[in-house]
Amino acid sequence: MQPPLDRLLRSSLRAFAPYKPGTSVDEVRRRYGIEHPVKLSQNENPLGSSPKAMAALHAIADLSAYIEDDHAALRERLARPYGLGVEHVVLGHGSNELVQVLFNAFVDPGDEVVMGKPTFSLFRKDADLAGGRSIEVPLRDGVHDLDAMLAAVTARTKLVFVCDPNNPTGTRVERAALFAFARALPPDVLLVIDQAYREFMDADGTDGVDVLRERPMTVVLRTASKIYGLAAIRFGYAYGSPEIVDTLNRVRLPFNVAGPAAAAVLAALDDREFFARSIETNERGKRQLYAAFERLGVHAYPTAANFIAVATPIDAQAAYLALLERGVIVRSGDGLGMPGYLRVTVGTEPENAAFVAAFEALLAEWRRRPMEAAR
Ligand SMILES: Cc1ncc(COP(=O)(O)O)c(C=O)c1O
């Protein structure tokens, strides 16, 4: 690094690792000359975007004016199903932005933030950026260990993150355990429940808003990126008490949600057909993938989301690279704090089949190898 920049840089940034989104389709095209790779690496919606959202985007004729920054109609629409009001909803440029806004609002250097390990990497990254101390509590059997997380809370703890369903394992916590945890937390600690994948949960999954109703020092994060297939427009939202929402609104950037994004989401929220088809595709894809994993004799965590963490007997990074060569993009668990596992997004039937075929070929090759070496 050039010396003057070294002097300028905030100390929390000196050892700062950027967020790594995984390999892009373009990269695979360039590196391997594969024109149409199968991308199952970013937990996107395999059906594309909500058609109603796309129609709303196409109907936009003018972008010259600043928008009404309070997005009252959209916030009211998000609040309505819960019987809440606009004062309970804050919007973000993706839920990623809201994570950073939470840190900007609440975390001073040296403050502690409790989270699972592994969990969504942005929690740790934003804690580093804020100079906060991440207290990472290992999952137990792939699930947040809420007792150990509670034991990790101290007088310096400001935020506690429960990612439910958890990225990268896909697992969810039990409803009774989450409520007991929420009740046992000190009242001045903010519980953040990241539910980017909430819509994919079955009926036993917990709605974070139910926790919020009981414990106002709770924030529930959601996104339009997954279920509505709108990752590119960057839209996330959070439910919280009016006081917390007001604080976050004061900290976020003005006009953080673009007009087209708001219009697309407002339309997507009424796209029941796309919503239902997305859930149905995910359920069918999960059955297809779990059946294949059972046949192949590899462990996979039970998922409550639209991706599955599956064990690979081959080094995860090597498996990931070998799959790339075969035109299938997944995430290696090595970079996600989940060594020995791959994270695979549930795709369409042909996408899942392409992944299974490539994975199976890889395992067969690997199983032959020691025998060949012994000959
Ligand atoms: C747990 C979790 N939270 C949040 C996000 C990001 O959501 P957004 O696209 O709204 O920023 C993701 C995306 O992968 C995620 O896995």
Side-chain angles (χ1 to χ4, degrees):
M1 187 185 293
Q2 45 189 337
L5 184 57
D6 194 26
R7 192 187 71 81
L8 287 177
L9 212 52
R10 280 168 50 194
S11 53
S12 67
L13 269 177
R14 298 225 166 95
F16 190 68
Y19 177 72
K20 287 206 205 99
T23 312
S24 71
V25 165
D26 274 350
E27 222 174 308
V28 177
R29 276 193 195 125
R30 256 183 282 118
R31 222 192 298 162
Y32 301 100
I34 297 169
E35 198 44 41
H36 297 293
V38 171
K39 183 175 177 232
L40 299 174
S41 54
Q42 284 190 293
N43 307 338
E44 293 149 329
N45 193 317
L47 301 180
S49 302
S50 147
K52 287 197 172 170
M54 294 312 294
L57 286 169
H58 283 121
I60 293 170
D62 188 282
L63 294 169
S64 60
Y66 284 98
I67 49 169
E68 299 266 355
D69 194 31
D70 69 348
H71 295 285
L74 179 51
R75 287 164 70 207
E76 193 279 326
R77 176 65 185 79
L78 290 164
R80 198 191 313 148
Y82 289 108
L84 300 174
V86 288
E87 67 281 9
H88 292 100
V89 181
V90 53
L91 310 183
H93 188 74
S95 61
N96 284 357
E97 187 208 8
L98 293 172
V99 174
Q100 196 167 80
V101 169
L102 283 164
F103 277 92
N104 286 342
F106 299 118
V107 178
D108 278 320
D111 285 347
E112 291 177 3
V113 180
V114 174
M115 62 188 78
K117 185 184 169 91
T119 191
F120 189 38
S121 63
L122 268 197
F123 306 152
R124 169 74 199 263
K125 176 184 166 286
D126 284 338
D128 288 352
L129 184 59
R133 281 192 62 212
S134 294
I135 310 299
E136 298 176 280
V137 179
L139 306 187
R140 197 197 304 161
D141 299 329
V143 180
H144 277 87
D145 186 344
L146 296 177
D147 291 338
M149 288 176 75
L150 190 61
V153 171
T154 72
R156 293 235 53 179
T157 306
K158 289 281 188 77
L159 309 179
V160 173
F161 280 90
V162 174
C163 192
D164 190 53
N166 187 43
N167 182 2
T169 51
T171 49
R172 65 167 173 79
V173 291
E174 291 302 326
R175 187 183 167 81
L178 183 54
F179 271 92
F181 177 71
R183 282 176 201 136
L185 276 178
D188 59 351
V189 168
L190 187 65
L191 170 60
V192 183
I193 308 177
D194 185 332
Q195 294 207 305
Y197 304 96
R198 155 72 190 146
E199 296 83 358
F200 298 103
M201 283 174 149
D202 62 21
D204 294 335
T206 313
D207 192 318
V209 176
D210 291 339
V211 179
L212 166 65
R213 288 187 209 282
E214 206 187 277
R215 185 183 190 279
M217 282 290 274
T218 300
V219 164
V220 181
L221 299 175
R222 298 276 173 77
T223 181
S225 297
K226 313 293 176 182
I227 190 69
Y228 298 112
L230 293 174
I233 62 164
R234 313 304 306 127
F235 182 88
Y237 55 107
Y239 296 102
S241 70
E243 293 75 16
I244 298 280
V245 163
D246 179 56
T247 303
L248 301 180
N249 263 325
R250 281 187 280 136
V251 173
R252 69 170 174 85
L253 274 183
F255 308 110
N256 61 337
V257 170
V265 172
L266 197 53
L269 289 167
D270 287 329
D271 200 340
R272 299 175 70 88
E273 197 272 334
F274 185 76
F275 186 103
R277 214 152 37 89
S278 299
I279 300 289
E280 167 59 22
T281 303
N282 193 56
E283 286 302 311
R284 237 182 303 127
K286 275 166 35 183
R287 286 196 293 274
Q288 181 186 0
L289 288 171
Y290 279 119
F293 296 149
E294 198 177 329
R295 183 169 56 76
L296 297 173
V298 287
H299 173 257
Y301 283 110
T303 188
N306 66 343
F307 57 89
I308 299 176
V310 58
T312 162
I314 315 161
D315 169 73
Q317 187 64 16
Y320 152 77
L321 288 172
L323 288 168
L324 269 191
E325 276 177 36
R326 291 171 156 87
V328 180
I329 314 173
V330 298
R331 285 296 294 266
S332 160
D334 286 357
L336 301 173
M338 196 175 56
Y341 281 77
L342 299 172
R343 193 193 69 192
V344 187
T345 304
V346 178
T348 59
E349 200 271 337
E351 286 173 334
N352 299 332
F355 161 70
V356 169
F359 192 41
E360 186 165 9
L362 194 65
L363 294 181
E365 206 173 274
W366 175 77
R367 282 174 182 141
R368 267 198 312 273
R369 238 178 238 166
M371 288 193 291
E372 278 166 14
R375 257 183 230 142

